[in-house]
C-alpha cells in the first residue's frame, strides 16, 4: 500500500479452525507494531463480538473500536437485534453502517428495471426484492422533502444512536455530492419527516424503535 501505517484495520470473522483469541492476538500485534492505530470487526455475529471483547481483555489488547455491519431501511437486522445491540454496548464501539443503499436499489434508479449499474441483470433476485418494493415510496418522500432517495437512505442509519458513520460507494463526483447531502438533511428534517422515513421498509406488524 505504500503507507507506514493505516488508521484502522478490520478483521473478518475467523474462518473455521482459527480461534477468536488467535485472531484478536493477530490484530493486537499489528497495532502494537505500529502498522495499524486501531482495529475493528466486519460482519461478526453478536456471540463472536462478545468473544472478541473477552479475548482482548484477557490479552490486554485494546478492544475493537468499530463494528461494520450492513444496515439499511430494508435490512435492520443485525444492527437492531437485541443480542447485537447488547454486544455493541459491551464492545463500546460505534457501528459503521454499510450496504445502506442496498447495492443501489434504494436510489430509485432501478425502478424501471432498465438502468445500467451493479445490479443490472440481478434485480429479480430475492435479496433485492425488499429494496425494489419500497424504492418508489422512498423516492416519493424524497421529492416531498426536496432531496434525493439516496440521501434519505443514507440518512436513515443516523437515526440510530449506535451508528458512528456510514459507508457508501460513488462512481462520480456528482454521485459523491448527492450522497454527502445526507449530512445536511438533519438541519431541516422534523420529527414527522423522520417518522415517515422510519416507516419505509419496516416489516408489517412491527413497531419503530
Amino acid at each position: 500500500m505504500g503507507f507506514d501505517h493505516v488508521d484502522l484495520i478490520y478483521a473478518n470473522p475467523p474462518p473455521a479452525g482459527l480461534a477468536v483469541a488467535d485472531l484478536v492476538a493477530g490484530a493486537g500485534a499489528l497495532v502494537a507494531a505500529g502498522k495499524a492505530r486501531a482495529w475493528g470487526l466486519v460482519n461478526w455475529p453478536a456471540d463472536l463480538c462478545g468473544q472478541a471483547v473477552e479475548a482482548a481483555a484477557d490479552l490486554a489488547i485494546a478492544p475493537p473500536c468499530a463494528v461494520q455491519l450492513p444496515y439499511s431501511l430494508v435490512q435492520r437486522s443485525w444492527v437492531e437485534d437485541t443480542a447485537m445491540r447488547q454486544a455493541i454496548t459491551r464492545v463500546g464501539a460505534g457501528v459503521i453502517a454499510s450496504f445502506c443503499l442496498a447495492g443501489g436499489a434504494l436510489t430509485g434508479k432501478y425502478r424501471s428495471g432498465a438502468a445500467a449499474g451493479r445490479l443490472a441483470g440481478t434485480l429479480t433476485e430475492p435479496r433485492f426484492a425488499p429494496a425494489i418494493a419500497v424504492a418508489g415510496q422512498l423516492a416519493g418522500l424524497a421529492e416531498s422533502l426536496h432531496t434525493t432517495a439516496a440521501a434519505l437512505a443514507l440518512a436513515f442509519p443516523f437515526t440510530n444512536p449506535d451508528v458512528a458513520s456510514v459507508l457508501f460507494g460513488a462512481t462520480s463526483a456528482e454521485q459523491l455530492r448527492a450522497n454527502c447531502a445526507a449530512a445536511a438533511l438533519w438541519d431541516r428534517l422534523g420529527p414527522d419527516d423522520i417518522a415517515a422515513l422510519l416507516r419505509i421498509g419496516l416489516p408489517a406488524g412491527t413497531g419503530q424503535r
Side-chain angles (χ1 to χ4, degrees), residues 28-174:
L30 291 172
V31 174
K35 296 182 181 297
R37 289 181 173 173
W39 69 289
L41 310 177
V42 177
N43 298 339
W44 286 49
D47 59 333
L48 290 186
C49 282
Q51 292 180 37
V53 174
E54 292 176 358
D58 292 341
L59 296 168
I61 293 171
C65 69
V67 179
Q68 182 179 319
L69 297 169
Y71 191 39
S72 73
L73 286 164
V74 293
Q75 188 177 3
R76 307 192 186 194
S77 208
W78 306 345
V79 172
E80 295 186 8
D81 291 344
T82 299
M84 183 58 77
R85 295 182 71 182
Q86 292 174 343
I88 290 169
T89 299
R90 186 178 182 186
V91 172
V95 171
I96 310 300
S98 63
F99 211 62
C100 306
L101 297 175
L106 289 174
T107 65
K109 70 177 182 179
Y110 296 103
R111 291 171 62 193
S112 66
R118 64 185 293 190
L119 299 190
T122 65
L123 295 176
T124 58
E125 293 183 11
R127 60 183 175 140
F128 296 121
I132 296 298
V134 304
Q137 185 181 358
L138 182 61
L141 179 61
E143 183 177 1
S144 71
L145 295 174
H146 307 290
T147 186
T148 66
L152 277 181
L154 292 171
F156 160 74
F158 289 117
T159 64
N160 187 330
D162 291 333
V163 171
S165 187
V166 168
L167 298 180
F168 63 81
T171 57
S172 68
E174 180 182 0

Side-chain angles (χ1 to χ4, degrees), residues 172-201:
S172 68
E174 180 182 0
Q175 187 181 28
L176 178 63
R177 285 190 291 268
N179 289 352
C180 288
L185 283 176
W186 295 110
D187 293 334
R188 58 189 183 85
L189 287 184
D192 291 343
D193 300 326
I194 294 175
L197 176 62
L198 291 176
R199 285 194 294 269
I200 295 176

